Amino acid sequence: MVNLLLAEAFVLVVPTSATRDMNLSDLEKLMAIYGVLEIARDDFLKGEITFQEYCDLQQTHGVNVDSFLKTTEHNLKELQLI
């Protein structure tokens, strides 16, 4: 079972500026990618994949990992998990 508080800290957000010029097909592809990444996040939180594997998968799918890590650190602090 995934810890919901941790899952909240590791949430991926689609930047609206990135979707402004996308058509429906592009948006559907993006949502499919984020669905895969959400499953990977849950697998990481369950200990089924490493954090490095999770970050590598994000990078493969075009996520700015540096920004993700900064946001995640902020979220962990706000949720008083670190």
Side-chain angles (χ1 to χ4, degrees), residues 17-82:
S17 62
T19 62
R20 184 176 312 131
D21 298 324
M22 289 185 169
N23 61 33
L24 182 59
S25 176
D26 292 336
L27 289 170
E28 288 173 344
K29 289 176 188 173
L30 182 64
M31 291 299 98
I33 288 169
Y34 272 65
V36 167
L37 294 175
E38 188 173 272
I39 291 168
R41 178 205 60 204
D42 292 348
D43 288 347
F44 160 66
L45 293 174
K46 291 186 282 186
E48 296 175 2
I49 64 172
T50 67
F51 188 63
Q52 184 63 53
E53 290 169 323
Y54 177 50
C55 289
D56 289 346
L57 187 61
Q58 287 182 19
Q59 187 170 20
T60 298
H61 289 289
V63 172
N64 181 327
V65 176
D66 290 336
S67 177
F68 166 76
L69 292 173
K70 288 177 186 175
T71 300
T72 299
E73 180 181 22
H74 172 79
N75 291 346
L76 289 167
K77 287 178 181 177
E78 286 295 311
L79 294 167
Q80 299 179 351
L81 296 172
I82 60 170

